[in-house]
Amino acid sequence: MSIGILGGGLAGVSLQRFTSRPSEVLEASDRPGGLCRSWGPEGWTFDVGGHILFSKDASVLDTFRGVLGDNLHACRRANQVLYRDRFVKYPFENGLSVLDREEILDCLLGFLENPHPAPANFREWLLHTFGDGLCGKYLLPYNEKIWKVDLATMGLEWVERVPKPPLADVLRSALGIETEGYVHQLNFLYPTRGGIEALVRGFMAHDRAAVATGAEVTGLRRRPDGWEVATASGAARHYERLVVACPVDKAVGWLPDVPDEVRAAAAGLVRNTVRVVLVGACNESLLDKSAVYIPDPTVLPHRVCYMAFFSRHNAPPGCSSLIAEVTARPGSEWDVASDAAVTERVVADLDRIGFVRRGDVVVTEVRNEPYGYPVYDLRHARNQRVLREYFAGLGIDLLGRWGEWDYINMDEVVRRSRALAARLDG
Ligand SMILES: Cc1cc2nc3c(=O)[nH]c(=O)nc-3n(C[C@H](O)[C@H](O)[C@H](O)COP(=O)(O)OP(=O)(O)OC[C@H]3O[C@@H](n4cnc5c(N)ncnc54)[C@H](O)[C@@H]3O)c2cc1C
């Protein structure tokens, strides 16, 4: 085998599809797909958080279409923000007209007469970009809820991901003139059947697919002709070249004689875990929205996504469902709470805010992902650079959300896989 690809998430399987060199993917779990796996009891399908296909890069969208063929359909976003007792169109600054007049004024004045100086951290950036009104009502409480850290301890490398509104849109939305923000995500694609995992299966439908599952990598040793890879389950494997498409902090632990600076960089990387609770209802009450963002800190999930909105095949006929996303700091209360406790709290909260009546719930299930969201603390850029340089020096490529420890979506993962394949082949 020429290339050993460590990790069988979207990054690993798409790299194997793109490269023409012989390769093998080693995947720790019993099924490839990573964060792009789908689950569910008979008749129900849910993903690890709402997973929709969108991109600014037309060639990546073409790749998605090519891989999924007929099993794909177009959707138009119908996201809302739950602000106090009402739904505000998402992004929040595009739905201002439903707020009370004083609140609208507050948002406009904060946006227009913004006293916040050039930012040095994410909290300051939000205030500088949006002003006090929009920040106080939505952006600060929502971001505190999803990131679970003091926003002043987060850096700025990733903020281009946060949609920024033109002034004209904010004014239009305040006046009740229909506007759309974050427009490259407004229309999206989703597999008709099989949940987002259909994308992974599509990438694996080729002659060179070679994925070993249950192959948890535990050690790496350099050899004169390449690398020896130890797995928990079997004999060592040999490859000329390696790509780490799984968490880079684990990969540091597999290597001997790692310099202290590199170990410290890996140990310094920050992440949140994510727990996803499927809530299935015996009626069609959960079909009219794609997702709801919930800044209210007394409600456990920060976001819910209506799975049967994405595809009617994600719930049985006459039923509908949502998935509730709960992030947590590793080791914190809601990271270690039992599945039953998380489910009970999610259902109770959703019943209280009127999203789903407890008596209508016919199915629940939980998925837990220890690697959910990379968090950009103020040392992130430095830690990332130290790790990139170290692995580059070993001739090992890093790829994907966790190989590179970057907050990237499926489109960017696929774009980077394609670029790496071109380099490996060239
Ligand atoms: C809640 C949520 C919502 C999201 N929504 C969207 C969305 O709407 N649109 C979008 O485009 N993207 C979305 N994403 C992002 C998307 O999930 C990721 O960009 C993509 O799945 C990352 O793929 P990956 O292969 O890089 O990483 P992963 O999917 O994390 O794959 C890593 C793989 O490595 C394996 N592994 C770990 N340890 C080992 C080991 N020791 N040996 C071997 N294998 C190992 C894991 O089992 C896993 O399969 C979302 C992510 C989350 C968490």
Side-chain angles (χ1 to χ4, degrees), residues 249-307:
D249 59 341
K250 291 188 185 182
V252 167
W254 301 333
L255 286 156
D257 307 324
V258 176
D260 288 347
E261 186 197 19
V262 176
R263 285 200 190 284
L269 293 170
V270 185
R271 70 186 151 91
N272 277 344
T273 67
V274 66
R275 309 188 73 170
V276 177
V277 182
L278 166 74
V279 179
C282 60
N283 56 39
E284 298 193 326
S285 59
L286 302 169
L287 289 174
D288 61 332
K289 301 177 185 67
S290 39
V292 183
Y293 293 72
I294 310 173
D296 181 347
T298 71
V299 179
L300 187 61
H302 59 271
R303 183 171 81 157
V304 296
C305 297
Y306 289 17
M307 288 307 299

Side-chain angles (χ1 to χ4, degrees), residues 10-11 27-28 34-35 50-52 217 250 401-402 408-410:
L10 181 63
E27 166 54 42
L35 292 169
H51 267 76
I52 60 172
V217 178
K250 291 188 185 182
R401 186 163 169 121
W402 297 107
I408 50 175
N409 274 342
M410 295 180 286

Side-chain angles (χ1 to χ4, degrees), residues 298-363:
T298 71
V299 179
L300 187 61
H302 59 271
R303 183 171 81 157
V304 296
C305 297
Y306 289 17
M307 288 307 299
F309 176 97
F310 299 145
S311 169
R312 202 60 196 87
H313 296 285
N314 283 344
C319 300
S320 57
S321 66
L322 59 73
I323 46 173
E325 300 169 12
V326 177
T327 51
R329 306 283 316 120
S332 67
E333 179 189 2
W334 288 109
D335 184 40
V336 300
S338 68
D339 287 355
V342 177
T343 305
E344 169 54 30
R345 172 68 190 270
V346 162
V347 172
D349 283 358
L350 296 179
D351 181 273
R352 172 167 60 86
I353 61 175
F355 277 33
V356 65
R357 287 209 308 266
R358 187 186 277 275
D360 294 341
V361 175
V362 288
V363 70

